[in-house]
Amino acid sequence: MNNGMEYSDIGLSASDRILVWAVPPLLGAVIGWFIPAIADWATGLAWVPFQGPLELIASIQGPWVVIMTAVLGLLAGMILSHVAIKESLAVRLSDKEITLRIHEVDHTFAREEVSAVFLDGKQLVLLGNEGQELYREKPEAKRDVVAEAFKRHGYSWRDRDPFADHYVRWVADSPGLTPSMNALFLAREKAMENEDREDAADLRRELSKLGITVRDDGKKQYWRQHGQRP
């Protein structure tokens, strides 16, 4: 990275990271410390569920119990913090390329691969030269921070999707789509109904390989073909 090129990083700030790493473990330790007392209190309330586990916790005596539950709460908070950091999008920009990192996986796009960048609701979207979606994910930074960074590095930032007027709502056996495309849309509809986001994202990518970009509005799916002019 010491090549003299200017970079901009978009994501959790240093102070945000400190909070993410500090607050959940601290809260977990505090909650864990009071769990034995809470369990002892709750066993006297017949309407509280999980009476069996609560009675077991309340029956264990000794100061080490409080320490143990506090440590377990601390560890649980640390795991939660790790997951939160892992699932937050980090974006590094330069005049030549964009690198996006989430779930410990990097995706890098050269400047010439990206024709437009915009926010669709809360999701950052990168478009390719054929109008296809190269990437879609929710950034942590505010809209104006994201926009200013992309503009500063000379990318084509748009205030809205340049193809917004090209989308058509998908219905079963939509004309203009092949049977295999309609089958993928149907499978994606079921994945969305089951709130299986990973499967829905995979099916979105499969449709993109076939020249179709998908846009969601709640449970509704809209589509357009690649290669159109905005």
Side-chain angles (χ1 to χ4, degrees):
M1 298 295 182
N2 297 320
N3 53 9
M5 188 178 298
E6 179 187 355
Y7 288 89
S8 295
D9 291 307
I10 306 172
L12 292 174
S13 65
S15 59
D16 290 335
R17 287 178 175 272
I18 291 173
L19 287 174
V20 171
W21 278 116
V23 173
L26 179 60
L27 287 176
V30 170
I31 294 172
W33 181 271
F34 288 104
I35 278 180
I38 294 171
D40 185 56
W41 168 77
T43 53
L45 304 174
W47 54 269
V48 176
F50 308 110
Q51 284 291 323
L54 290 172
E55 290 174 359
L56 177 62
I57 295 172
S59 67
I60 303 173
Q61 302 297 321
W64 61 271
V65 178
V66 175
I67 296 174
M68 182 183 70
T69 54
V71 170
L72 290 175
L74 176 68
L75 293 174
M78 292 175 65
I79 293 172
L80 182 61
S81 294
H82 174 72
V83 171
I85 294 292
K86 183 179 177 180
E87 293 185 351
S88 65
L89 178 65
V91 184
R92 167 157 280 205
L93 288 174
S94 74
D95 293 351
K96 292 187 176 181
E97 65 181 21
I98 308 169
T99 298
L100 306 103
R101 181 177 180 83
I102 193 169
H103 302 299
E104 299 181 346
V105 177
D106 289 346
H107 294 273
T108 300
F109 301 97
R111 165 74 172 272
E112 55 270 19
E113 293 181 83
V114 182
S115 65
V117 187
F118 63 95
L119 283 172
D120 181 16
K122 295 182 178 180
Q123 292 187 314
L124 176 68
V125 180
L126 276 60
L127 296 183
N129 294 316
E130 293 297 317
Q132 78 277 23
E133 284 191 7
L134 299 175
Y135 196 84
R136 172 185 284 267
E137 192 59 69
K138 179 181 178 294
E140 302 299 329
K142 294 181 179 179
R143 175 181 289 267
D144 56 345
V145 173
V146 176
E148 192 277 331
F150 276 96
K151 290 177 182 178
R152 184 168 65 252
H153 288 282
Y155 290 89
S156 180
W157 178 264
R158 306 296 182 90
D159 292 329
R160 64 190 291 267
D161 185 349
F163 294 96
D165 298 330
H166 293 242
Y167 285 90
V168 177
R169 183 175 176 181
W170 177 80
V171 294
D173 300 321
S174 284
L177 296 175
T178 65
S180 60
M181 292 175 181
N182 275 304
L184 288 171
F185 270 104
L186 181 60
R188 192 167 184 274
E189 181 180 59
K190 293 179 180 177
M192 293 170 66
E193 290 174 353
N194 295 329
E195 297 185 356
D196 189 341
R197 296 180 181 179
E198 184 176 346
D199 193 32
D202 286 341
L203 291 165
R204 179 198 293 273
R205 286 189 285 269
E206 290 301 315
L207 284 161
S208 182
K209 293 176 184 178
L210 298 175
I212 299 296
T213 289
V214 183
R215 181 180 182 182
D216 298 328
D217 183 5
K219 299 290 185 180
K220 301 173 184 176
Q221 300 182 87
Y222 293 80
W223 63 275
R224 64 174 174 82
Q225 292 182 331
H226 298 169
Q228 296 175 310
R229 293 288 181 181

